[in-house]
Amino acid sequence: MTSTLPAATSPAPQDPPGLVVPEGHVKLTIDGVELTAPKGELLIRSAERIGTAIPRFCDHPLLEPVGACRQCLVEVEMGGRPMPKPQAACTQTVADGMVVRTQLTSPVAEKAQRSNLEFLLLNHPLDCPVCDKGGECPLQNQVMANGSGHSRMVDTKRTFTKPLAISTQILLDRERCVLCQRCTRFSDQIAGDRFIDLLERGSSQQIGIATDQPFQSYFSGNTIQICPVGALTSAAYRFRSRPFDLVSTPGVCEHCAGGCAIRVDWRRGEVTRRMAADDPQVNEEWNCDKGRFAFTYVGLDDRLTKPLVRNADGVLAEASWTEAMSAAAAGLATARDSAGVGVLTGGRLTVTDAYAYAKFARLALRTNDIDFRTRAGSAEEDTFLARHVVGNTPETGGVTYTDLEQAKTILLVGLEPEEEAGILFLRLRKSWRQHGSRIYSVGAVKTRGLTKLGGILVPAVPGAEPGVVAGLADSPVGEGLRAAHAVLLVGERAAEVPGLLTAAAQLAESTGARIAWVPRRAGDRGAVEAGALGSLLPGGRPVDGPAARAEVEKSWGASVPDRPGRNTGEILAAAAAGELAGLVVAGVSIEDLPDPTAAAKALAGVGFLVSLEIRRSAVTDLADVVFPVAASVEKDGAYRNWEGRDRPYDATITGKGTLADARVLDTLGVEMDVDLYTQTVKAATADLQRLGAFTGPRPTLAEVPDRPTRPAVEEPRGFLLATWRMNLDGGSLQDGEPYLAGTARAEVARISAVAAAALDLTDGSSVTVSTARGALTLPVEISPVADEVVWLPGRVAGASLASTIGAGHGDRVHLAAATTKGGS
Amino acid sequence: MSFLDPVKGFGVTFATMFKTVVTEDYPKNPEAPAERYHGRHQLNRHPDGLEKCVGCELCAWACPADAIFVEGGDNTDEERYSPGERYGANYQINYLRCIGCGLCIEACPTRSLTMTNEYEMADDDRQRLIYTKDMLLAPLLPGMEQPPHPLRLGDSEDYYVKGPELLRDRTANRTNSEGPQ
């Protein structure tokens, strides 16, 4: 292949016609083909560009070169002098005038590769028929293509105990390992979790873990995917099928706002495994373990398959769709006409489903009382979303993963990327490692995740963040933000602290840094765009703007209520107070809500409750009509990731007869004499696109809400609670996958050494955290935390803090050494 | 046209009466088919009764008619069906589809799947023509034990290669140990 780049310098006279060497490039010959390559490029890549595949095991484009497996040996000649030995093409960089001969033209290279293959097979067991990698194994393919038909090895092979569980999920078979170090390099370079490493020497060299520390990384599944042999396999997929049984369908992960491209492998109507797909714009070639392994929730026994209607005896009984539709339509119409109906959608819907709820609420229920949040919302957040989030996409200049990679300064506010947006964490780490970005995080805890980003903590105790953020403008952080390529990433948790979103937005506006909002769930961003929010109509149109409303009314051909809707907390309070006669609830777990007890009461007491769910839950148990809906894998749709990037996907599992929320609502709408036009994803997308984005003025953040300053610590044992949800914490979408649950981080209470000393606690001893509403006991981990702060995981033993101690971020809790059995 | 023509045909009949019979007296006295006749499949066992099948699905992969369905399972020390890590948890051959080509036999890495000479597989029910693992497994011969059970012949590495040898050793050991009594 010859370069088509424009010539920066005129070609040297001896160059053959047609081959020009651009600036920063060199000219070399591979197998008699002359080509140019950028300086520093590895030979193996240059060869790829002319269509020559040099065999390799350890080489991976996203990992640093190591030259461990020696499979890519080629003959290299420099300045007319051949190098004394064959060179590894994966570590050798190109040079001007280099003459390379690969296995295609050089008998030396061919023999070197063949011999190396034989060497790698010396101790490799011939258990391909029982190996999970068999059928998709680079080593197997390589041997089948180029290897010898028989083995000259007559001695007994080296054996190890197999398999060795290096975490509950990851199984290591050391016999099969060819020591390419892809797994250790991935863990070290990409994930920053150096839990596995090479141990021993010589023929007993092996991959291993420390005796007391399992391979507890959120990204461990990637090592299975990049392992070129079957040395790393997963417990979940162990012996479940062979690659040739499986149908691979591209998909998009439903677990967080990252929007990772995945490959779903399925057989007989069931997903058998998921892999990370290659999407350089978003997830590169990685994903997190939750996205890889948490898919079994779809097939659990509590899956709803038929509509349920509460009969005259007050019992939920299976009913036909027709029956359920008319019962729901009648009940909702009555409730709407008496006091009104509220809609809670949860944050897991696809864009078209969220749009269907938004339209259903406005047209069929004639209300704006709709909210996608399962957490506390505020007017401040609504304004922030309308001003800084909605409509920002990569096309309109929104912050992208690539922008983060090239950013010089990144400030994280209310965001713990490793726990809340795994793939964002990997990109931030790459940004720091490869491009030297400076990452700052405003918070009370210097976490391991932040350390892995080379990050600097801007200390702020819970509740004091707005002041700290506001004060950053005149600090070195502010300097960094004022310079080019600065990004401010705001997590959804920022909404829990009054004034923090405004402070962050003002900091971005005053410094000129770009700002992006990172929600936690896959459907959050799409819900904002689709108008599943009390204050915003689809496309970011403010409900209280007559012009914006008119646009929607024109497109929908119906009138839209003009009173801005209530948020989740207000909707539930209104339902409890009898100000709402009905509720439509989709994909909401009661215990995720800010006040689960009150929410359960509200749902139980509301006149008419319709639930659209995939599995039985506390909400469906209280509902009057339950519609079973399709899980993510069973329907077409699209998510919007935090960038605002559209992530469309097609259904993987078809033929189950499950219907998407939008389809159910469309039919329910017809039953209530309203046409939603959301029967199919295509129709709903077209309907939404017809509306387009709002071009009118966006609301301003002028009205800064009061910044409540927390009182200084008065009582000696009153601690400020800092908390967020962990990546793996027994959430409902992780059900049915015990191997994955075993890799979750230990649940600990983090306090400072000073606080621990004051409380007479040591590392590992039990502490009881209590409020007026409840208490829980956890082991202590002494960490770099502010002295008056205690950090707790968002869920402990599968129950949210809101449901156990009724406290959230910034609340005061009481700490004491556990009186009963200590767990040191 | 001769006057003998009408009886000429009988000549053939009479002559045939003195030749070897080519028809078979089926089903009263069915003849054995050729030794390598591709009949019904069988899943063989090791001498101690453990299954040879490792659930590798290579038979299913090789099958040109997609007649074989296999699902692997994980052997544990408590519940062992075959030597090694993996066993065939679910094994089905659909004889409505099977064309008897024997490619599955060639693909089998453990000589677990072989073909018997049995050919009487006609039925009027499609469901009954899908043979499941229990129907395909070889019968337990004397000395065999119904799995799951631990390895009775010693080290699992030598199981495939040295099966018969190990069996001889075991029998010898048994006779030796019984001898002095």
Side-chain angles (χ1 to χ4, degrees):
Chain A
M1 195 191 83
T2 54
S3 172
T4 52
L5 289 169
T9 53
S10 59
Q14 70 271 25
D15 282 342
L19 188 68
V20 283
V21 184
E23 181 81 34
H25 282 56
V26 294
K27 195 177 73 173
L28 72 160
T29 311
I30 299 179
D31 290 339
V33 180
E34 280 207 321
L35 72 154
T36 59
K39 269 181 194 163
E41 192 180 48
L42 298 168
L43 270 186
I44 202 163
R45 306 260 179 283
S46 309
E48 270 169 15
R49 288 194 288 111
I50 61 164
T52 302
I54 300 172
R56 83 286 308 261
F57 296 119
C58 69
D59 173 68
H60 192 286
L62 297 177
L63 300 176
E64 288 164 17
V66 65
C69 75
R70 315 308 294 174
Q71 188 55 45
C72 60
L73 296 175
V74 290
E75 227 188 332
V76 180
E77 201 178 294
M78 273 294 289
R81 274 180 49 213
M83 287 189 174
K85 288 180 184 174
Q87 297 295 309
C90 74
T91 51
Q92 180 68 54
T93 49
V94 292
D96 206 31
M98 196 178 243
V99 178
V100 182
R101 283 186 292 155
T102 71
Q103 74 277 7
L104 298 181
T105 54
S106 157
V108 174
E110 198 275 333
K111 185 173 183 219
Q113 291 178 9
R114 191 158 34 81
S115 306
N116 191 61
L117 204 53
E118 189 174 13
F119 173 70
L120 290 181
L121 284 181
L122 279 185
N123 282 316
H124 190 89
L126 292 179
D127 61 352
C128 303
V130 300
C131 176
D132 273 336
K133 200 83 174 182
E136 56 177 8
C137 172
L139 180 63
Q140 193 183 29
N141 295 345
Q142 184 62 29
V143 174
M144 296 299 276
N146 303 324
S148 166
H150 67 278
S151 170
R152 290 189 286 165
M153 169 96 163
V154 290
D155 302 305
T156 317
K157 292 195 177 197
R158 172 204 58 193
T159 53
F160 285 116
T161 313
K162 61 197 276 181
L164 189 72
I166 54 174
S167 72
T168 53
Q169 182 67 272
I170 311 291
L171 305 174
L172 170 65
D173 189 319
R174 290 163 294 174
E175 292 175 6
R176 295 176 187 153
C177 178
V178 293
L179 300 172
C180 72
Q181 301 174 47
R182 272 188 178 182
C183 54
T184 54
R185 283 183 294 146
F186 170 83
S187 302
D188 184 22
Q189 296 164 15
I190 307 292
D193 296 320
R194 208 174 161 178
F195 290 112
I196 52 172
D197 212 339
L198 280 179
L199 315 173
E200 307 290 342
R201 291 275 167 167
S203 70
S204 39
Q205 193 166 44
Q206 54 183 280
I207 300 290
I209 48 171
T211 42
D212 57 340
Q213 222 164 18
F215 187 21
Q216 213 162 46
S217 166
Y218 286 147
F219 307 97
S220 61
N222 292 298
T223 62
I224 299 175
Q225 194 171 341
I226 59 174
C227 180
V229 294
L232 291 165
T233 53
S234 74
Y237 179 66
R238 186 167 161 84
F239 302 158
R240 283 209 54 201
S241 65
R242 312 301 316 246
F244 43 84
D245 293 331
L246 302 174
V247 183
S248 298
T249 310
V252 175
C253 181
E254 76 277 35
H255 285 292
C256 82
C260 292
I262 55 168
R263 192 186 97 194
V264 186
D265 286 1
W266 57 279
R267 180 190 197 188
R268 295 204 295 161
E270 266 181 27
V271 177
T272 46
R273 64 172 176 180
R274 303 205 316 192
M275 318 276 272
D278 185 8
D279 189 337
Q281 303 278 310
V282 179
N283 56 314
E284 300 193 301
E285 295 180 30
W286 320 121
N287 71 349
C288 72
D289 284 2
K290 182 155 68 169
R292 183 177 299 263
F293 297 117
F295 55 82
T296 41
Y297 68 92
V298 175
L300 295 181
D301 289 342
D302 58 359
R303 186 74 200 269
L304 293 164
T305 52
K306 291 204 174 108
L308 305 173
V309 174
R310 198 168 292 280
N311 60 22
D313 306 329
V315 181
L316 266 184
E318 282 192 357
S320 69
W321 278 94
T322 323
E323 207 179 324
M325 281 292 170
S326 45
L332 286 177
T334 314
R336 173 192 67 198
D337 297 338
S338 64
V341 181
V343 182
L344 302 176
T345 68
R348 292 176 177 144
L349 300 173
T350 60
V351 178
T352 43
D353 284 347
Y355 176 63
Y357 280 99
K359 201 170 177 184
F360 183 79
R362 269 67 183 232
L363 299 189
L365 304 176
R366 296 173 206 152
T367 176
N368 283 314
D369 286 338
I370 176 170
D371 197 350
F372 68 95
R373 290 171 290 214
T374 47
R375 55 200 159 78
S378 62
E380 182 197 1
E381 186 180 9
D382 291 352
T383 317
F384 177 82
L385 293 177
R387 180 165 177 77
H388 289 285
V389 176
V390 71
N392 286 356
T393 66
E395 292 81 42
T396 61
V399 179
T400 64
Y401 283 105
T402 318
D403 293 341
L404 291 179
E405 202 174 311
Q406 280 146 13
K408 296 268 182 290
T409 306
I410 299 167
L411 177 65
L412 309 174
V413 176
L415 178 65
E416 176 62 24
E418 191 184 18
E419 304 289 356
E420 297 171 299
I423 214 70
L424 173 67
F425 168 77
L426 292 191
R427 198 56 84 96
L428 288 173
R429 186 170 154 82
K430 185 179 180 189
S431 174
W432 167 62
R433 281 191 92 243
Q434 295 192 2
H435 302 270
S437 66
R438 305 210 70 150
I439 298 172
Y440 300 93
S441 174
V442 176
V445 189
K446 171 123 175 133
T447 59
R448 247 197 83 225
L450 186 61
T451 312
K452 284 187 274 190
L453 296 176
I456 299 156
L457 183 74
V458 180
V461 297
E465 292 101 334
V468 171
V469 169
L472 282 178
D474 306 321
S475 72
V477 184
E479 294 290 310
L481 290 174
R482 258 186 284 278
H485 302 297
V487 178
L488 218 159
L489 288 179
V490 184
E492 67 164 36
R493 282 190 283 120
E496 289 170 8
V497 182
L500 182 51
L501 285 171
T502 310
Q506 282 171 343
L507 180 65
E509 277 170 19
S510 66
T511 57
R514 299 164 76 194
I515 189 166
W517 179 66
V518 184
R520 219 173 59 82
R521 286 187 170 160
D524 281 343
R525 181 61 198 272
V528 176
E529 304 286 340
L533 190 58
S535 60
L536 285 181
L537 292 167
R541 292 174 175 78
V543 167
D544 50 11
R549 214 168 50 244
E551 278 178 32
V552 178
E553 285 175 343
K554 183 163 170 269
S555 174
W556 284 355
S559 68
V560 170
D562 56 357
R563 195 171 62 96
R566 288 170 269 208
N567 66 32
T568 301
E570 292 162 354
I571 289 174
L572 286 167
E579 290 161 27
L580 282 176
L583 283 175
V584 177
V585 180
V588 174
S589 307
I590 290 182
E591 66 156 30
D592 285 345
L593 293 164
D595 189 349
T597 325
K601 260 186 212 149
L603 289 172
V606 76
F608 194 74
L609 176 61
V610 176
S611 170
L612 290 88
E613 255 294 2
I614 61 168
R615 288 164 61 200
R616 269 184 181 278
S617 72
V619 178
T620 63
D621 288 346
L622 296 171
D624 294 291
V625 179
V626 180
F627 291 110
V629 288
S632 168
V633 74
E634 296 160 355
K635 63 185 177 191
D636 299 341
Y639 292 113
R640 286 286 164 89
N641 72 355
W642 65 267
E643 302 167 291
R645 193 188 294 271
D646 201 27
R647 306 294 286 158
Y649 67 94
D650 288 337
T652 298
I653 307 292
T654 51
K656 293 258 172 191
T658 48
L659 304 176
D661 298 54
R663 172 88 189 269
V664 174
L665 289 176
D666 182 78
T667 313
L668 192 54
V670 170
E671 204 76 12
M672 297 173 76
D673 297 327
V674 171
D675 283 320
L676 299 184
Y677 304 108
T678 60
Q679 196 165 24
T680 62
V681 171
K682 211 174 163 186
T685 312
D687 202 44
L688 185 53
Q689 271 171 357
R690 198 161 36 243
L691 267 167
F694 182 53
T695 48
R698 294 189 176 195
T700 51
L701 282 162
E703 59 284 8
V704 183
D706 296 335
R707 273 189 213 137
T709 43
R710 299 262 170 191
V713 186
E714 283 159 18
E715 40 174 338
R717 292 287 187 271
F719 280 75
L720 280 168
L721 176 63
T723 179
W724 54 77
R725 292 278 299 264
M726 307 285 276
N727 184 307
L728 299 173
D729 61 359
S732 61
L733 295 193
Q734 298 155 43
D735 286 349
E737 181 44 78
Y739 305 112
L740 176 67
T743 63
R745 300 235 165 106
E747 287 162 352
V748 292
R750 298 213 168 101
I751 53 173
S752 70
V754 174
L759 290 165
D760 209 12
L761 289 165
T762 51
D763 218 15
S765 61
S766 292
V767 65
T768 300
V769 182
S770 58
T771 62
R773 300 179 57 182
L776 52 86
T777 302
L778 281 173
V780 168
E781 191 177 294
I782 294 174
S783 313
V785 185
D787 290 343
E788 68 268 42
V789 173
V790 56
W791 177 90
L792 296 177
R795 282 164 68 97
V796 177
S800 69
L801 290 186
S803 62
T804 48
I805 58 171
H809 186 81
D811 286 335
R812 288 225 171 257
V813 293
H814 184 84
L815 255 66
T819 44
T820 49
K821 53 183 183 210
S824 64
Chain B
M1 193 80 172
S2 133
F3 77 99
L4 275 176
D5 280 358
V7 290
K8 215 175 182 178
F10 289 110
V12 175
T13 311
F14 283 119
T16 308
M17 289 171 80
F18 303 102
K19 284 185 182 161
T20 329
V21 179
V22 293
T23 56
E24 290 170 14
D25 186 15
Y26 184 86
K28 284 179 195 153
N29 292 308
E31 293 230 350
E35 232 171 81
R36 297 196 172 194
Y37 175 76
H38 286 186
R40 201 203 73 177
H41 297 79
Q42 173 168 287
L43 287 169
N44 297 308
R45 294 178 190 273
H46 286 290
D48 59 356
L50 285 179
E51 295 157 12
K52 282 187 173 176
C53 178
V54 293
C56 74
E57 300 189 29
L58 288 181
C59 48
W61 195 11
C63 183
D66 201 8
I68 308 182
F69 172 82
V70 190
E71 260 178 353
D74 197 357
N75 276 320
T76 57
D77 284 336
E78 296 78 44
E79 198 176 349
R80 175 171 293 287
Y81 292 89
S82 72
E85 298 173 81
R86 179 167 173 157
Y87 76 103
N90 191 348
Y91 198 102
Q92 297 168 19
I93 297 183
N94 184 347
Y95 282 103
L96 293 156
R97 284 174 160 245
C98 178
I99 55 171
C101 66
L103 288 181
C104 45
I105 309 305
E106 288 186 40
C108 183
T110 63
R111 279 254 158 241
S112 167
L113 192 67
T114 53
M115 280 170 144
T116 64
N117 286 347
E118 192 190 327
Y119 53 85
E120 291 176 307
M121 290 183 294
D123 211 319
D124 56 3
D125 183 343
R126 304 183 82 86
Q127 197 59 46
R128 280 202 295 268
L129 277 162
I130 298 169
Y131 280 47
T132 48
K133 190 179 163 190
D134 51 317
M135 299 153 87
L136 292 165
L137 267 175
L140 290 163
L141 298 177
M144 288 183 177
E145 189 186 332
Q146 179 70 39
H149 63 74
L151 301 164
R152 301 281 189 226
L153 301 181
D155 193 352
S156 67
E157 285 163 50
D158 304 330
Y159 238 71
Y160 298 119
V161 193
K162 298 188 183 161
E165 201 179 309
L166 291 166
L167 178 68
R168 271 200 300 280
D169 289 352
R170 189 173 71 151
T171 330
N173 286 340
R174 191 183 294 152
T175 23
N176 287 347
S177 59
E178 281 164 3
Q181 288 171 357

